[in-house]
Amino acid sequence: MRVIFANLIAIYRRELQSYFASPFAYVIAGVFWLLSGFFFFAILLGPEGLIAQSALRDQMGVTGQPTDVPYQFLSFFLGTLSSLAMFILPMISMGLYAEERKRGTLELLATSPLTNWVVALGKWLGAITFFITLLLPLLLYQAIAVSASDPPASLTVMLLGHLGLVLLAGAILSLGMFVSSLTDSTILAAILTFGLVLVLWVIELVANSLVGPVGDGLKHLSLIKNYNTLTQGIFDSSSILVFVSYILLGLFLTAQSIEAFRFQRS
Amino acid sequence: MIEVEHLSKIYGSTPAIQDVTFSVEKGEILGFLGPNGAGKTTTMRILTGYLPASSGTARIAGFDVHENSMAVRRQIGYLPETPPLYTDMTVEGFLHFVARIKGVAAGDRIAQVENALKRCNLLEKRSVLIRKLSKGFRQRVGIAQAIVHDPPAIILDEPTVGLDPRQIIDVRNLIKSLAGEHTIILSTHILPEVSMTCSRVAIINRGRVVATNTPEQLMAELAGGDGYELEVAGNPAQLDWQIQQMPSLLPGVKSVEQIADESLPAEHFRLRVALEANLPDPGGEIAAAVVQAGLGLFEMRRTRVTLEDVFLELTTEEKVIDPEEMAQADERAKADTKAAPAEAVAVAEPVDLDNPEDPANAEPGDA
C-alpha cells in the first residue's frame, strides 16, 4: 500500500512538474485568465453588466421581484467559465498519454513496477491540480466581489459552484485522458476530446426531443444539466455522483486501454 | 538467471521471432547479435513484459515475465531502443523519478542516483535539462535510468547507438564493470562490440536463434578457425599435389584450398590453409613444405577469423547450426580432402564457375 502511494506521488509530481515546466501550459493559463477576467468584468461591472442593470432598474423605479445580484453573477460567471473550460481542458488532457507514447516513455512506465491504475490516477490528479491552480486567482476576486455585496452573499454557494466546476473539469480530463491513451498524436487527442465533450454537452437537447426512459436516461448524462444544478447552489448528490462516475469511467478505460495496447501493438 | 524457452511472437500472420531459446547465467553478459529486423527488440520487449509472447515462456530470476510481471519488473533495468526520457526534466530529477517508480527506498535514493550519475559520467550534466543534452549524453542518461535501482538483470537495446568512439569505449567499460553482480543482455549489430564486451553471444536471424556460444568458440567452430593465405608460383600439377599432401603431412593443417584470384600473374596461385584448433601453429612447416616442393613462396600471411565472418555466414546462408551436422560435415571434409577444395571454392565464389580459364575450376582429378 505504501509502495502504491509512493508511486502515485511520483507520477503526480512528475506530471505537475511537466505542466509548470512547459511554456504551453503558461499560454493556456494566460488565455484562461485573460478571458475569465474579461467575462468577470463584463458580467459584473460592464455597461451591460448586472450592477448597471439593477441600478438602471432602480432608477426607473421598477418594482416587483428584486434581483439577487451576487447569485445571478455567480451563476452567469460559472456558466461562462464552464464554456471556457470546455475549450481549455482538452488541451490540458491531450498530452497525458499521447506524449508518453510519442516519446517512448510509456515503455519506461510499462516496464516499471507500477500498475496502470496508479499511473492513470497520478496523471489525472496532476491535470486536475493544474486546473485548480488556474481557478485559484479567479476564486480570490470572486470572493471579494461576493462578500462586498450588501447583504453579504453566502460563500458556500460560491464554493459549491466551484466544486461543480472542478468535478466537471475532472470528468472532462478523465475522458480526455482516455482519448489521449488511444493515440500518439496530441492534436488528434485534443480534437477527439473536444468532440466527445461537445456531445456530452448537448446531449440534453437530444434528450429533450426524446420521450420515455431513453430521454430521461440521457438527460442524466448531460454534463451541463448536472453542472447547472451545482452552480445554483443545490447540493445534489446525484449530480455529484454522475461526475464521479465519469471520472471513474475515464480512469478505468484509460487503465484498460493501456493494458490492451500491450496486446495489440505491432 | 534469465531463461527463455521456445519463445515465439507473431504479429498478425508474420512471425517476429520463432522458437527462441537461450539462457543467461548470473553475472554473464549475453550479446544479442543480429541484422536489423531480426527480432532483437521484440525478444527484449517480451523479456521486460512490455509485449506478451504468442507462445513459449521466459523467466527472469525464476519469475515468469508474463504471469508475474510485477515481480519481474522489480528485477530488471531496461534501456529501450529509444531512451525513454522526459525531456523537460533535469538529469538528476529524472533519475530521482525513475528511482522512485522502481521502488528504491527513500533513504537510498540520493546515494543510488549519485552512483548512477558517477558510473555514467553524468556528474557535470546533473542539473541540465535533458532537452538540452546531445544524443550521446541522452543515451547515457538512458543507461543511467536502467541501472539507477541496481537491478539484478539489465537489458540494454543497442546501448552504444549514437555515441562517439570515445563514449562507446566508456559505455563498454561501464557494461563490463556491471557484469558479475548484474546479469546483462545487450543487443547490437556492431560486431566488435560483442567480442569486446560479451561473455556469450546469441546470433539471431529472421526471428530464429542460429547460434549461441562464446565469441571465441563461435569463431573457432563456424569459420574453421585461423589460417594462412599464401601466394605461390609453380606449375599447376605440382601445386595440386601439394594441396593433396599438406593436410596429411602436417598435423596442424586442417585443409588446403586453392582460391581464385585474377589479379595474380600467370602461374601464380593463391592458397588458403585452414588450421586445426588446439594444435601448435604449423606456420614454419607450411613455408618449408612449399619451398621444398619447388614452389615459389611470394606471400604468406595469417588470416584471423572475425566474428564478422561468423555473423555473415550465419545470417546470409540461413544456416542453423546443429552440432551433429557440423561433426558430419567435418568428417566428410576429412574423408574427401581431394574433392573438398573445389567444392568449397565453388560455394564461396559461384561466379568463377563461368570462367574456364580459372585454375579453381580444374577438375581435381585432372592432376
Side-chain angles (χ1 to χ4, degrees), chain A residues 22 28 34 58 87 108 129 202 213 218 220 224 227:
Chain A
S22 128
I28 291 182
L34 186 76
D58 283 350
F87 288 96
L108 169 66
T129 307
V202 300
L218 282 180
H220 285 291
I224 196 73
Y227 176 62

Side-chain angles (χ1 to χ4, degrees), chain B residues 4 24 44 80 93 96 137 140 146 166 199 209 218 274 281 291 297 316 344 354:
Chain B
V4 176
V24 193
M44 295 192 144
H96 268 286
F137 273 109
R140 283 200 253 171
R166 174 79 234 162
S199 45
V209 171
L218 274 182
D281 189 337
V291 175
L297 180 58
T316 47
D354 301 334

Side-chain angles (χ1 to χ4, degrees), chain B residues 198-345:
Chain B
C198 303
S199 45
R200 272 187 339 121
V201 187
I203 296 182
I204 184 167
N205 188 38
R206 303 201 188 181
R208 289 175 184 279
V209 171
V210 287
T212 332
N213 217 323
T214 61
E216 295 76 24
Q217 284 289 321
L218 274 182
M219 288 187 247
E221 277 175 25
L222 278 153
D226 292 348
Y228 283 99
E229 217 172 273
L230 285 76
E231 184 190 331
V232 298
N235 70 39
Q238 189 78 20
L239 189 70
D240 274 339
W241 183 81
Q242 197 63 32
I243 290 173
Q244 289 166 41
Q245 291 304 309
M246 211 186 271
S248 49
L249 289 177
L250 303 173
V253 176
K254 193 170 169 188
S255 66
V256 182
E257 49 181 280
Q258 191 176 347
I259 45 178
D261 189 346
E262 289 178 23
S263 65
L264 293 178
E267 300 270 290
H268 279 234
F269 306 101
R270 194 171 289 288
L271 298 178
R272 185 185 287 145
V273 180
L275 302 182
E276 291 284 3
N278 311 323
L279 280 178
D281 189 337
E285 284 99 322
I286 294 172
V290 170
V291 175
Q292 270 167 23
L295 298 168
L297 180 58
F298 283 73
E299 187 190 0
M300 176 165 175
R301 77 190 148 87
R302 198 199 290 272
T303 52
R304 289 214 181 275
V305 175
T306 59
L307 206 50
E308 203 154 345
D309 302 331
V310 177
F311 179 73
L312 286 176
E313 189 171 338
L314 284 171
T315 54
T316 47
E317 286 177 32
E318 272 190 285
K319 195 157 97 186
V320 179
I321 296 314
D322 182 7
E324 229 170 271
E325 205 175 89
M326 280 211 20
Q328 280 171 5
D330 264 6
E331 270 164 38
R332 247 183 287 132
K334 272 179 199 152
D336 198 359
T337 37
K338 195 171 153 186
E343 214 176 80
V345 171

